[in-house]
Amino acid sequence: MKLTIIGTGYVGLVTGTCFAEVGHQVICVDNDAAKVEMLKAGGIPIYEPGLEELVRKNVAAGRLSFTVNTAEGVEKSDVVFIAVPTPPQTDGSVDLSFIEKVAREIAAAMTSYKIIVDKSTVPVKTGDKVAETIKRYCKAQVDFDVVSNPEFLREGFAVEDLMKPDRIVVGVRSQRPVAALKEIYAPFKSPIIVTDINSAELIKHASNSFLALKISYINAISVLCEATGANVQEVANGMGMDERIGRRFLNPSLGFGGSCFPKDLSAFIKIAEQTGYDFRLLKEVQRINTEQMDRFVKKIADTLWVLKDKKIGVLGLAFKQNTDDVRMSPAMDLCQRLLKEGASLRVHDPKAMDKARSLLPNVTYVDDLNDVAEGCDALVVATEWDEFKKLDLERARRLLSHPIMFDGRNMFDPEEMERLGWIYKSIGR
Ligand code: UDX
């Protein structure tokens, strides 16, 4: 099918590329001319495993192209996806101005029936607003349908998640666009759930908030484990074997971060508030998340006594593994807090150092993971990169003034670390 995706951020670029990969003809539109030029030249602006190769392959096959011209995208395709940012505002609500602008641009360019599909994460009832806007700004008197099709990909696993989704949610106002959506998604061989638009929009916020809740839940359990001598890993394994609970997203950490969970939680609390419902459960999820970081910083401070003038090695800057994204990263937050307490930092991340540099200028960036510990008083693991498991522990021990490690991602075995002579403090065990 002929498809246009407006917005080439994480969601738009990966969606467009995967649509091309399964044989659709895809035009990706972005108003950032430099980004479009970069994509045309075979470069990609983000690190996402497997994506660069797929972009190159599909551009070469003539199935994927890039332009700054929205009208061209609308004219040449039957289905137009909106995948632009919906950033948070200071009060937690969502800024929908990019969606509104794109809706007007699509309307102005429409000369025949189009299906307009929203992929961005939006508050419930946004679909109605998009439909109203398109009707208002459409010059030609043509039919159209608005569809809500939220995206559930995780950064770092985006290609995998898109090619093999657990489910595809399609929210519609009439049956007319359903066949086209089913045809677009047929190659992905995943269950498709067709709902009304409001429900589809709610599914996205409800899912992300539930996953954030799951993480806060296990982080709260980790506090109990530390107080009682239980092991949170064992507890999570035991809980996760119950199919009704499931093991995934029960990994304790410094708290969740990234461009989705914190933003979507705030937005969902605000959406509920606007309907007159005080979603206190989710406010508690936020509180537990903040406290988890406070507790970790306190753990470091209590052990080192005074942080001022201490040199600390930090492994990880990205908000999670397999990405160079440092937006709302717990690792970055941790670095800022340690700096504020007067510590100096030597930091390393396999992919995120370039993006971190301007936000975190007053630290030493270390290229080799195994050199981070040099002259440090302690090492901290802040992101769960697989590479960190290969850290040369013997060398790190020699480089540190004293072998102390604070592991915010439970990447090492406590007994083994003790055997190797480390003072090792992880989460909930
Ligand atoms: C999330 C949703 O998973 C995805 O469906 C949605 O489309 C976008 O938001 P993403 O933010 O890319 O995806 O990453 P995710 O893997 O969900 O991790 C989010 C945060 O939670 C990270 O900081 C991660 O480290 C943390 N996390 C995740 C935990 O602390 N423990 C876990 O068990 C899982």
Side-chain angles (χ1 to χ4, degrees):
M1 289 186 74
K2 290 186 175 146
L3 311 175
T4 285
I5 322 282
I6 301 182
T8 55
Y10 272 98
V11 171
L13 182 58
V14 184
T15 305
T17 307
C18 291
F19 280 163
E21 175 67 11
V22 298
H24 299 305
Q25 195 66 39
V26 181
I27 302 173
C28 285
V29 181
D30 203 290
N31 60 7
D32 181 341
K35 197 184 202 184
V36 167
E37 281 315 307
M38 180 188 199
L39 287 160
K40 279 183 175 170
I44 61 167
I46 50 173
Y47 171 73
E48 188 61 47
L51 184 61
E52 193 162 352
E53 298 87 306
L54 274 195
V55 170
R56 288 223 183 101
K57 177 182 161 197
N58 284 284
V59 168
R63 286 189 298 264
L64 181 62
S65 61
F66 300 95
T67 176
V68 286
N69 190 339
T70 305
E72 179 195 333
V74 174
E75 189 191 317
K76 290 187 177 163
S77 292
D78 313 314
V79 185
V80 181
F81 288 81
I82 302 177
V84 293
T86 50
Q89 309 196 94
T90 39
D91 67 349
S93 65
V94 180
D95 175 1
L96 292 168
S97 58
F98 296 111
I99 300 262
E100 193 266 352
K101 183 163 175 279
V102 167
R104 278 189 282 129
E105 286 170 4
I106 295 171
M110 274 171 30
T111 52
S112 59
Y113 172 73
K114 302 286 171 191
I115 300 173
I116 296 108
V117 186
D118 174 49
K119 256 206 176 294
S120 304
T121 302
V122 292
V124 58
K125 290 191 169 294
T126 300
D128 291 348
K129 288 281 183 202
V130 169
E132 252 174 52
T133 304
I134 291 177
K135 201 161 177 204
R136 192 172 300 148
Y137 288 90
C138 180
K139 292 190 201 100
Q141 291 301 310
V142 290
D143 258 4
F144 67 92
D145 272 297
V146 169
V147 174
S148 166
N149 172 219
E151 181 48 59
F152 299 97
L153 63 80
R154 292 163 302 160
E155 288 182 25
F157 303 90
V159 172
E160 192 184 317
D161 285 352
L162 234 141
M163 295 306 283
K164 287 186 223 135
D166 289 346
R167 80 303 206 184
I168 288 144
V169 175
V170 174
V172 289
R173 287 216 285 198
S174 76
Q175 288 303 302
R176 188 172 175 191
V178 173
L181 266 295
K182 284 191 171 165
E183 194 179 332
I184 293 168
Y185 281 109
F188 297 93
K189 300 190 171 35
S190 294
I192 297 178
I193 157 168
V194 179
T195 69
D196 61 279
I197 294 186
N198 290 343
S199 302
E201 289 168 340
L202 267 179
I203 286 171
K204 173 69 194 218
H205 270 125
S207 301
N208 269 7
S209 298
F210 189 81
L211 291 168
L213 179 147
K214 212 173 164 186
I215 299 167
S216 274
Y217 188 82
I218 201 68
N219 281 337
I221 298 292
S222 78
V223 181
L224 279 184
C225 288
E226 284 183 23
T228 57
N231 182 331
V232 73
Q233 225 75 31
E234 306 286 351
V235 177
N237 290 343
M239 286 171 64
M241 284 172 81
D242 184 330
E243 280 182 19
R244 293 170 302 174
I245 298 173
R247 177 64 180 82
R248 295 175 74 190
F249 279 69
L250 281 182
N251 296 319
S253 59
L254 302 173
F256 54 77
S259 63
C260 290
F261 283 173
K263 170 190 97 151
D264 291 353
L265 259 186
S266 302
F268 208 29
I269 290 168
K270 200 77 194 166
I271 291 163
E273 189 185 302
Q274 281 157 1
T275 70
Y277 180 63
D278 184 4
F279 215 146
R280 274 178 294 190
L281 177 66
L282 296 187
K283 290 179 181 168
E284 196 56 21
V285 169
Q286 287 180 320
R287 195 186 61 80
I288 294 170
N289 202 49
T290 309
E291 276 187 7
Q292 191 70 359
M293 178 62 86
D294 294 343
R295 205 173 294 109
F296 192 71
V297 174
K298 186 168 182 305
K299 198 180 276 182
I300 301 174
D302 284 350
T303 309
L304 299 182
W305 191 16
V306 171
L307 287 175
K308 191 167 178 304
D309 298 334
K310 293 280 157 52
K311 195 185 274 186
I312 299 176
V314 180
L315 302 180
L317 296 167
F319 82 98
K320 57 182 278 192
Q321 79 278 39
N322 294 344
T323 181
D324 61 355
D325 196 349
V326 293
R327 289 174 295 172
M328 298 293 286
S329 167
M332 296 286 282
D333 183 21
L334 175 67
C335 289
Q336 303 284 14
R337 290 190 191 211
L338 295 174
L339 287 173
K340 210 166 150 220
E341 294 295 327
S344 62
L345 304 180
R346 288 172 61 77
V347 303
H348 169 81
D349 188 285
K351 295 286 175 198
M353 292 203 283
D354 283 345
K355 289 205 170 146
R357 260 177 241 271
S358 60
L359 301 165
L360 199 62
N362 302 323
V363 302
T364 305
Y365 288 87
V366 182
D367 286 334
D368 189 332
L369 155 73
N370 287 310
D371 292 340
V372 175
E374 198 170 332
C376 287
D377 297 283
L379 259 189
V380 176
V381 181
T383 309
E384 70 275 38
W385 282 97
D386 265 350
E387 282 95 321
F388 295 166
K389 289 192 186 132
K390 291 182 218 131
L391 175 72
D392 183 340
L393 288 167
E394 192 40 48
R395 180 173 152 79
R397 230 169 66 87
R398 271 187 277 115
L399 291 176
L400 284 163
S401 59
H402 202 77
I404 305 177
M405 185 190 284
F406 301 95
D407 183 353
R409 298 290 189 165
N410 287 359
M411 301 210 53
F412 297 96
D413 177 26
E415 280 174 24
E416 177 68 3
M417 292 299 279
E418 205 172 307
R419 199 184 58 76
L420 294 172
W422 286 80
I423 294 174
Y424 175 72
K425 304 207 173 193
S426 53
I427 308 248
R429 47 182 206 165

